[in-house]
Amino acid sequence: MVRQGDFYGPTVNLASRLVSSAEAGTALTDAAMFQRLARVRGGYAFAPAGKYTLAGFEEPVETYQVLRTA
C-alpha cells in the first residue's frame, strides 16, 4: 500500500527488518528472494545466514547474505 509517497505492508516490513539485522557492509535477503535471484544471471552469490526472529513475523525467517561476485 502507498500513502503519501510511503510504502507499507509485509514486504516493506520484512525488508526493513532484514536491513536492521544485517551487519554493516552486508545485505540479507529472505528465502523467496534468494530463490528468485538464484535463477537469473545477475552475478549473485549467496551464503546461508541462519534464521532470524523478526518483529512482526510469527515464524523465524530463513536468511541469506548476498555476496558480490567478480
Side-chain angles (χ1 to χ4, degrees), residues 15-69:
S16 174
R17 301 287 189 251
L18 290 175
V19 167
S20 296
S21 298
E23 294 182 26
T26 67
L28 293 175
T29 190
D30 69 336
M33 184 58 73
F34 160 71
Q35 291 170 354
R36 286 181 174 179
L37 291 175
R39 292 191 303 249
V40 300
R41 293 184 183 179
Y44 299 101
F46 303 90
K51 292 187 178 186
Y52 283 72
T53 301
L54 303 174
F57 295 87
E58 292 182 21
E59 300 293 325
V61 176
E62 183 177 358
T63 65
Y64 296 84
Q65 182 179 350
V66 182
L67 305 172
R68 294 182 184 185
T69 59

Side-chain angles (χ1 to χ4, degrees), residues 1-9 12:
M1 171 162 66
V2 179
R3 184 181 301 157
Q4 297 179 344
D6 290 329
F7 292 86
Y8 298 89
V12 176

